[in-house]
Amino acid sequence: MEYSVGVDIGGTKIAIAVVNQKGEMIDQTVIPTDLSIPPEAMISKINDEIRNMIEKSSISEDEIIGIGIGAPGPLDSKNGIITCPPNLKTWVDIPFQKLVQQSFSIPVKLENDASAAALAEKWIGAAKENDNFAYMTVSTGIGAGIVVDGKLLRGLKGNAGDIGHTVVDPSFGQCSCGQYGCLESIASGTAIAKRGSEIMGRHLSTKEVFDLYAEGNEKIADFIENVFRVLGVACVTLINTFDTEKIVIGGGVSKAGNPLFRSIQSYVSQYALNPSGRQTEIVPAKLEQSAGVVGAAALCFNIM
Ligand code: ADP
Ligand code: ZN
């Protein structure tokens, strides 16, 4: 049996797992993303976690074929560099791949996190049967991984699918990138908690905002329905641009579940341009919150 190590770098947490060639997680751990320490120190912690995990597994080192890292963009995946992700503010031009590679003798690969998660959903998840689909993560930020004609779209530096900074509602106000009304500034977990807290006049987590929505709180309802609408707008954009047959949604905010999926499905069935596009299925990630880390490990297995 062959194994690889997956590392999923998020704005809130870093997931690390040993995955076998069938996509099964043998061991896993999650550590918080600590932005108060230099990125190099955080990477050194990640290296320690990887080493510990390999040592305590009963797997011999020569069965481990590589380490795959999924990281938020903008990045330069071909050169293994994290460029300037908005949700990792201090991580500017970090040679991530090199800093991991120095500690291990097996190959290290770096890819956009949403692209990695798309690979996982294609490999053993909700898009196993699909050659034209998008994976959208709605988490600390928002991004997409896109598969067209059975191939993962990477682009010049590996940033294809960075849909979080697509303008969906200019009236909403300025985004951290300078544009007005980006998807991520309205519908990411971070944005939902911020705006929900402003509306209610007290500090709320994203989950607490959704709990108020489930309880029928009217002040929150308008806001959350607008969040669902802009996520629908984003999905229609993906469908119209890439002619997808399925959109898989993952990330922490997808835990909001049925109301979110029903609402996006309904928007898509009305507004996608192509009649076949209106049939696009909007489904939750089968790998749930593990799509990112399994996808990172999948980078070493030549799935696509
Ligand atoms: P990361 O961005 O670090 O990869 P996640 O994919 O877990 O992390 O996304 C984190 C976001 O998901 C946070 O904004 C968090 O508040 C939100 N979140 C976590 N659990 C829930 C939930 N049950 N319902 C809605 N949002 C949630
Ligand atoms: Zn933006």
Side-chain angles (χ1 to χ4, degrees):
M1 184 75 92
E2 287 185 333
Y3 301 84
S4 75
V5 179
V7 182
D8 181 32
I9 314 289
T12 337
K13 58 178 172 38
I14 294 163
I16 304 170
V18 175
V19 175
N20 69 17
Q21 68 194 59
K22 294 189 212 157
E24 294 160 342
M25 282 194 285
I26 303 306
D27 196 2
Q28 56 171 312
T29 187
V30 174
I31 56 173
T33 309
D34 186 352
L35 295 175
S36 70
I37 60 172
E40 291 77 6
M42 192 68 230
I43 294 167
S44 153
K45 273 194 186 183
I46 294 169
N47 285 342
D48 291 345
E49 290 288 341
I50 297 174
R51 201 168 299 105
N52 285 342
M53 199 176 268
I54 295 176
E55 270 168 21
K56 82 173 176 13
S57 73
S58 49
I59 302 161
S60 76
E61 265 187 55
D62 55 9
E63 285 179 294
I64 301 177
I65 60 168
I67 298 169
I69 302 159
L75 47 68
D76 177 349
S77 64
K78 286 165 195 163
N79 291 305
I81 295 168
I82 293 197
T83 312
C84 53
N87 300 314
L88 298 170
K89 284 230 173 338
T90 52
W91 294 41
V92 178
D93 294 330
I94 305 300
F96 203 118
Q97 185 178 6
K98 196 175 103 198
L99 292 171
V100 178
Q101 188 69 77
Q102 281 169 353
S103 294
F104 300 93
S105 56
I106 45 179
V108 178
K109 293 186 176 178
L110 178 92
E111 194 66 77
N112 182 303
D113 51 3
S115 296
L119 269 188
E121 289 294 322
K122 172 71 186 161
W123 187 21
I124 51 163
K128 225 173 152 180
E129 311 298 330
N130 305 102
D131 279 339
N132 292 282
F133 74 96
Y135 171 89
M136 182 162 79
T137 175
V138 189
S139 42
T140 313
I142 298 183
I146 295 153
V147 172
V148 174
D149 295 333
K151 293 196 191 80
L152 183 67
L153 289 190
R154 290 191 165 84
L156 181 64
K157 304 270 185 186
N159 292 303
D162 196 351
I163 197 166
H165 296 273
T166 299
V167 172
V168 290
D169 185 354
S171 74
F172 199 84
Q174 197 166 22
C175 174
S176 60
C177 77
Q179 294 200 100
Y180 284 79
C182 289
L183 175 65
E184 185 167 305
S185 70
I186 303 172
S188 66
T190 321
I192 295 167
K194 183 166 170 258
R195 185 78 189 115
S197 301
E198 279 166 16
I199 292 170
M200 295 307 294
R202 62 190 156 96
H203 177 78
L204 295 168
S205 69
T206 317
K207 184 177 181 305
E208 286 165 340
V209 176
F210 279 106
D211 288 345
L212 287 173
Y213 176 68
E215 288 160 17
N217 184 298
E218 282 181 19
K219 283 200 242 173
I220 288 293
D222 282 353
F223 167 60
I224 290 298
E225 273 149 28
N226 192 46
V227 165
F228 292 161
R229 188 186 62 82
V230 297
L231 289 170
V233 171
C235 287
V236 165
T237 302
L238 287 169
I239 295 162
N240 291 350
T241 311
F242 298 106
D243 208 4
T244 56
E245 57 188 335
K246 188 176 271 180
I247 296 181
V248 182
I249 304 182
V253 176
S254 70
K255 289 190 213 163
N258 273 338
L260 177 140
F261 285 92
R262 265 202 314 270
S263 175
I264 299 175
Q265 184 76 67
S266 152
Y267 189 92
V268 161
S269 61
Q270 284 180 71
Y271 295 112
L273 195 60
N274 190 314
S276 73
R278 282 178 225 142
Q279 311 285 322
T280 302
E281 285 178 83
I282 312 296
V283 300
K286 190 170 173 200
L287 290 158
E288 297 179 359
Q289 304 306 309
S290 309
V293 74
V294 173
L299 295 171
C300 304
F301 284 120
N302 293 325
I303 309 302
M304 269 190 269

